Amino acid sequence: MKKYIMGIDIGGTKCAVLLGRAQGDADDIVIDKLRFETRVGRGWRAVTEELLDNVEEIIKKNALSPEDILCAGISCGGPLDSRRGVILAPPNLPDWECVPIVDMIEERFGFDAYLQNDANACALAEWQFGAGRGLRDIVFLTFGTGLGAGLILNGELYSGANGNAGEVGHIRLAEYGPVGYGKRGSFEGFCSGAGIAKIAREKITEKLQMGERPAICEDFAKLDSMTAKSLAQAAETGDSLAIEIYEESGKMLGLGLSVIVDIINPQAIIIGGVFSRSRELLWPHAEKVLRREALGASLNACKILTAELGENVGDYAALSVAQYELGKAQARVGR
């Protein structure tokens, strides 16, 4: 009896191919994995060929054949068309224009494959294996380099009319502010790793122009070295400007969360990335704004949770797509 699934995680820096145990849990779903550097400069054909070769290698390494695989899940940054299984030139994969990754896998190996953007895939992972276990209505926020969301509503992944549901980073929260997702003052502009660095550069530039020399950046030459991680480290040691930067991001996080709470009315909002690492710097400010702005009844029904899967979420995400689709197929057969 077939009992294996595949996971394929495609990123701008690294890719991974995983062999998983169907119906496994967080402790035993991952059987084996292979990783390699993406090296996007060589083009999508070279990267996808290496992906397919790694799928073949991991199957053979575990003394299996393609016939032993139930299906494969693919996690990749958007934009993409999950219904057609096509990747549509994500920013971190610049020449991947209309790459039919699902067809490529199905034609070579014969098992079904399913594609989801990384936010949706991570939402499935946290729902199946992490902080969202046992819940039916959750929102997962990436809060990484950018800001996206995956929606699990009434126990199902919700993708929207054309797969663009959950693009909360595009919501404008203020008329002025850092640019994120191509829009000034957007949720992503304030609440992402890149956005926090932009807030820092703006505040530091102001002080440098006034003749001040902030401890976290004493001259213009160091402006581009500001990162969310370095700023968090400075804030944790008591740097007042770094604390102020995280306070601004935290307040806008609270405002963005209030919109989600009022519109979606979820049981939980699970936040990963920067929030997972720096919750103590962000949450006190976010909570004040959230309590002021959100509907009380909806907020009382919603928990704000830190993602549980941490740096391994990409592994679980790809396999979660396969496991989710497998569960849907089995439910159809059972009806």
Side-chain angles (χ1 to χ4, degrees):
M1 182 179 177
K2 295 181 181 180
K3 55 184 179 181
Y4 301 101
I5 54 177
M6 298 291 302
I8 299 169
D9 183 31
I10 303 173
T13 303
K14 293 181 180 179
C15 293
V17 172
L18 301 103
L19 177 66
R21 185 173 285 105
Q23 307 306 325
D25 58 28
D27 296 325
D28 69 359
I29 188 170
V30 179
I31 297 172
D32 198 2
K33 60 184 172 182
L34 298 174
R35 296 183 185 277
F36 65 90
E37 292 184 2
T38 309
R39 292 180 288 131
V40 295
R42 57 187 171 141
W44 69 266
R45 286 181 177 82
V47 179
T48 54
E49 188 61 30
E50 187 166 0
L51 271 172
L52 296 175
D53 288 346
N54 272 256
V55 171
E56 187 169 323
E57 180 182 343
I58 204 168
I59 290 172
K60 289 181 178 178
K61 179 184 173 188
N62 288 273
L64 302 173
S65 71
E67 289 73 25
D68 294 311
I69 308 300
L70 289 160
C71 65
I74 309 162
S75 172
C76 182
L80 49 81
D81 186 330
S82 58
R83 288 182 175 83
R84 292 193 298 132
V86 176
I87 299 171
L88 305 172
N92 61 344
L93 299 167
D95 78 322
W96 289 52
E97 296 182 12
C98 296
V99 176
I101 189 66
V102 164
D103 285 349
M104 294 169 71
I105 292 168
E106 291 182 347
E107 289 169 8
R108 180 156 167 178
F109 298 104
F111 47 74
D112 291 337
Y114 303 93
L115 173 67
Q116 286 292 342
N117 70 51
D118 50 1
N120 285 350
C122 288
L124 287 170
E126 285 289 342
W127 179 47
Q128 294 180 53
F129 305 121
R133 283 172 306 207
L135 302 178
R136 292 183 59 79
D137 296 282
I138 68 169
V139 176
F140 173 80
L141 294 182
T142 57
F143 207 143
T145 303
L147 181 74
L151 311 177
I152 306 294
L153 304 181
N154 197 29
E156 295 183 353
L157 177 66
Y158 181 76
S159 300
N162 65 351
N164 283 314
E167 297 293 5
V168 298
H170 197 244
I171 297 171
R172 195 189 301 276
L173 297 181
E175 186 174 358
Y176 301 104
V179 176
Y181 214 133
K183 183 183 285 186
R184 184 171 296 281
S186 66
F187 198 174
E188 180 172 289
F190 287 107
C191 300
S192 63
I196 288 171
K198 289 175 182 176
I199 295 170
R201 286 195 286 272
E202 184 175 325
K203 289 184 177 292
I204 292 167
T205 296
E206 262 182 39
K207 291 187 178 296
L208 290 172
Q209 288 176 343
M210 295 297 291
E212 298 180 40
R213 292 167 61 87
I216 55 173
C217 182
E218 296 178 347
D219 58 63
F220 288 102
K222 297 179 181 178
L223 269 179
D224 289 339
S225 67
M226 294 293 99
T227 65
K229 184 177 180 180
S230 66
L231 290 160
Q233 291 170 342
E236 286 162 3
T237 60
D239 185 279
S240 60
L241 182 54
I243 291 170
E244 181 184 326
I245 290 162
Y246 267 88
E247 179 179 351
E248 181 169 345
S249 180
K251 287 177 178 177
M252 300 311 283
L253 174 62
L255 184 58
L257 291 176
S258 73
V259 174
I260 294 171
V261 167
D262 286 354
I263 295 175
I264 304 296
N265 189 204
Q267 293 170 287
I269 300 174
I270 301 166
I271 316 176
V274 175
F275 187 81
S276 294
R277 297 186 292 271
S278 303
R279 178 173 177 136
E280 69 282 357
L281 296 175
L282 293 160
W283 178 239
H285 312 293
E287 184 178 25
K288 288 178 184 177
V289 175
L290 179 57
R291 292 197 175 280
R292 184 186 73 218
E293 296 291 333
L295 287 168
S298 296
L299 184 55
N300 288 339
C302 179
K303 299 177 182 177
I304 308 300
L305 303 174
T306 302
E308 289 184 2
L309 299 178
E311 300 303 320
N312 295 320
V313 68
D315 295 347
Y316 289 108
L319 290 169
S320 292
V321 174
Q323 185 131 298
Y324 175 69
E325 295 293 344
L326 184 61
K328 284 170 58 179
Q330 291 173 341
R332 287 194 295 269
V333 171
R335 283 203 292 267

